[in-house]
């Protein structure tokens, strides 16, 4: 498989079936929801839509945030694990995959894989700090002032978790959970691992052993 990360790859055929099966499982066990939170990546949005279609709740409001995006894999984005192993070696590949706080090489500001070069993110992401260096560079290039935000050029698993957890505690909880709303989150492995780490009080050293199955809804009932 490829390191997709922030690459907006479409949902694979098996992913479509996983999403539908997840919705069927939730419906079979009587679950209903009031709001959906998802990342800004198409595959997570499509997963949410196919899931709520199976629940007969396609009308549910959907909130999208980059903070629920998958880990940003930097220069590894779009490359296969085999390609990376050949280029950097198997040992380094294992470190990037399993090391919680190890970041891959960053992408450059000129890379098509840099999120700051995606007009959709430039237009809709407003909750990131301003990068003055990128702002100056791009304003000079465009010959007009353009504010540019500090999009990640690479992330460790820990970096991904540290943006997903605050989104849950500071946005989802006060906005929905504290108001008694039933929440469905459609996101990605590393962001979900972070939220589970918070909810289930999983120690950092145990995170390497936490593997999430595809197409199986994870249910957490908050009393």
């Amino acid at each position: 498989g490829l390191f997709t990360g922030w690459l907006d790859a479409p949902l694979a055929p098996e992913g479509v079936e996983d999403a539908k099966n997840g919705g069927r499982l939730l419906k079979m066990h009587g679950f209903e929801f009031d709001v959906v939170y998802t990342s800004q990546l198409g595959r997570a949005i499509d997963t949410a839509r196919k899931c709520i279609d199976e629940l007969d709740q396609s009308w549910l409001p959907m909130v999208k945030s980059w903070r629920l995006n998958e880990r940003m894999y930097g220069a590894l984005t779009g490359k296969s694990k085999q390609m990376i192993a050949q280029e950097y070696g198997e040992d380094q590949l294992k470190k990037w995959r399993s090391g919680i706080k190890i970041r891959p090489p960053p992408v450059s500001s000129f890379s098509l894989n840099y999120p700051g070069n995606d007009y959709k993110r430039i237009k809709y992401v407003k909750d990131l700090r301003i990068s003055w260096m990128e702002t100056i560079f791009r304003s000079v290039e465009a010959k007009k002032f353009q504010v540019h935000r500090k999009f990640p050029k690479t992330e460790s698993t820990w970096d991904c978790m540290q943006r997903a957890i605050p989104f849950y505690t500071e946005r989802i909880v006060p906005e929905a959970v504290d108001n008694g709303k039933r929440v469905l989150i459609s996101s990605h492995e590393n962001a979900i691992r972070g939220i589970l780490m918070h909810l289930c009080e999983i120690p950092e050293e145990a995170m390497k052993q936490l593997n999430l199955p595809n197409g199986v809804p994870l249910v957490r009932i908050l009393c």
Side-chain angles (χ1 to χ4, degrees), residues 159-174:
D159 294 328
C160 178
M161 292 177 179
Q162 294 310 298
R163 58 172 161 80
I165 293 172
F167 183 77
Y168 176 80
T169 58
E170 298 170 15
R171 178 78 187 271
I172 296 177
V173 169

Side-chain angles (χ1 to χ4, degrees), residues 5 12 27-28 33 38 45 50-51 66 71 73 92 94 103 124 134 137-138 156 163 193 206 210 212 216 221:
K27 185 175 183 179
M28 182 173 68
F33 299 93
T38 182
I45 297 168
K50 286 174 174 32
C51 181
W66 70 273
R71 173 185 173 189
Y73 282 106
Q92 185 61 62
K94 289 177 182 176
R103 294 171 180 160
Y124 292 108
E134 290 283 349
F137 167 74
R138 290 172 187 267
S156 65
R163 58 172 161 80
R193 288 170 76 193
L210 181 60
L212 305 182
V216 180
I221 298 174

Side-chain angles (χ1 to χ4, degrees), residues 112-148:
L112 291 176
N113 291 326
Y114 173 49
N117 291 326
D118 185 335
Y119 77 93
K120 292 176 290 185
R121 296 194 175 98
I122 294 172
K123 182 176 181 180
Y124 292 108
V125 173
K126 303 299 182 184
D127 57 340
L128 265 173
R129 291 184 294 119
I130 292 173
S131 169
W132 291 112
M133 185 175 293
E134 290 283 349
T135 294
I136 292 169
F137 167 74
R138 290 172 187 267
S139 296
V140 169
E141 185 181 45
K143 297 182 180 179
K144 63 179 181 179
F145 183 69
Q146 293 184 343
V147 173
H148 192 80

Side-chain angles (χ1 to χ4, degrees), residues 37 87 110 117 158 173:
Y37 289 86
E87 186 174 352
F110 305 100
N117 291 326
W158 185 256
V173 169

